[in-house]
Amino acid sequence: MPANFGTVILLAATFFAPASVLAAAFLFVAATFFLLPPVRALSRNPPPCAPVPPGPPSRCVAPLVPGPSRRRAVWTVAAVAGWARAVAWALASPVGASPDEQAHIAYAWGTVTGQTVVGEQLVTIPGARTATNVQVPQKLLQYPPPGCYAFHPERPVRQCAPVPADNLQPVAQATYVSRYPPLFYAAEGVVLQAATAVDLSGPHVLYIARLAAAGLSLLAVGYGLFLLSRRFPDDVVVLATLLALPATAWFLAASVNPNGLEITAAFLLAP
């Protein structure tokens, strides 16, 4: 029992990042109430030992085999806690705070509207860098300029310059993530276009895009968990996964940034 309780403590401890304290608390409570009782019941009523051949007396030790209910509890807690942490990270920072997020948003819109492949318009931006000029609606610019608060912890975001009007007026944006692999941007672009088509507000559109990116990363992690669970115990798999994915991975996964999906997709190499 102490070993199992220690596992629960470690599972909870891996979630105590500043942006996900609520997820950590949920994981700890859920694990305490749903994971430990089946273990206690199993330890009080162990399964019968297998018959042993005649010979010197030996001590029979029944292996603790997780039952279906405990396995479901492990995966339910892992799934809910993963989503809780992704949502916490998506809401913890303003849109644009993730590295190059504003450029990725513009490129996603350009990909789904056909501006980054056919008829691509290349421009030169400061630093002699090549960028792709994309026409995006002002609705997708509903976030404070990152340059206003980046590296200025003493400056509240609300003091930054006002965002543009929330409408579909096209605005030229030079995105320097030109020629990036298009799969992630196509998926995010579809989400942006669909949310814009139903006339959601700009902030809602952008945060929905963040959650969609988090969903892609969670699918990759979930498939990796499934593959690993075929070779290792569920507790070990979940704990190893939480330790292998640091806070930075969750931060990137919960923003419009392909780096999060790249990190979680690399997790698929573990099996």
Side-chain angles (χ1 to χ4, degrees):
M1 176 53 59
N4 288 307
F5 188 74
T7 300
V8 173
I9 294 296
L10 287 175
L11 283 170
T14 57
F15 275 75
F16 273 98
S20 55
V21 174
L22 291 178
F26 174 83
L27 177 66
F28 181 81
V29 173
T32 301
F33 283 95
F34 292 104
L35 297 186
L36 295 184
V39 177
R40 292 195 185 99
L42 190 61
S43 62
R44 294 194 189 103
N45 303 291
C49 295
V52 295
S58 60
R59 183 180 179 183
C60 178
V61 179
L64 293 178
V65 181
S69 61
R70 183 166 181 246
R71 292 200 67 184
R72 284 194 297 270
V74 170
W75 292 111
T76 300
V77 169
V80 175
W83 266 112
R85 194 172 195 188
V87 172
W89 276 109
L91 301 178
S93 61
V95 174
S98 172
D100 307 316
E101 189 170 18
Q102 65 273 26
H104 294 304
I105 292 171
Y107 198 76
W109 181 265
T111 299
V112 78
T113 55
Q115 301 182 63
T116 60
V117 180
V118 180
E120 180 182 26
Q121 182 182 358
L122 299 178
V123 296
T124 302
I125 59 177
R129 295 182 297 170
T130 300
T132 301
N133 191 52
V134 177
Q135 296 288 328
V136 302
Q138 287 191 160
K139 185 178 290 290
L140 301 185
L141 303 178
Q142 297 297 299
Y143 53 83
C148 173
Y149 57 84
F151 308 108
H152 295 285
E154 77 286 351
R155 182 178 301 164
V157 175
R158 62 178 178 273
Q159 293 183 0
C160 294
V163 297
D166 189 350
N167 55 43
L168 298 178
Q169 179 69 30
V171 178
Q173 291 286 298
T175 170
Y176 45 83
V177 295
S178 304
R179 310 292 172 83
Y180 274 40
L183 181 59
F184 172 84
Y185 296 101
E188 284 294 288
V190 168
V191 174
L192 291 171
Q193 196 171 46
T196 301
V198 297
D199 199 27
L200 294 178
S201 66
H204 285 142
V205 172
L206 295 171
Y207 280 107
I208 288 174
R210 275 189 162 191
L211 294 177
L216 292 174
S217 295
L218 287 175
L219 285 176
V221 173
Y223 188 54
L225 285 170
F226 168 73
L227 295 177
L228 286 171
S229 67
R230 300 171 66 183
R231 301 177 56 187
F232 305 101
D234 293 346
D235 289 354
V236 174
V237 170
V238 173
L239 177 60
T241 301
L242 295 177
L243 293 175
L245 295 176
T248 302
W250 291 95
F251 169 59
L252 293 172
S255 63
V256 184
N257 191 319
N259 296 153
L261 183 58
E262 291 164 1
I263 294 171
T264 53
F267 177 72
L268 295 175
L269 299 176

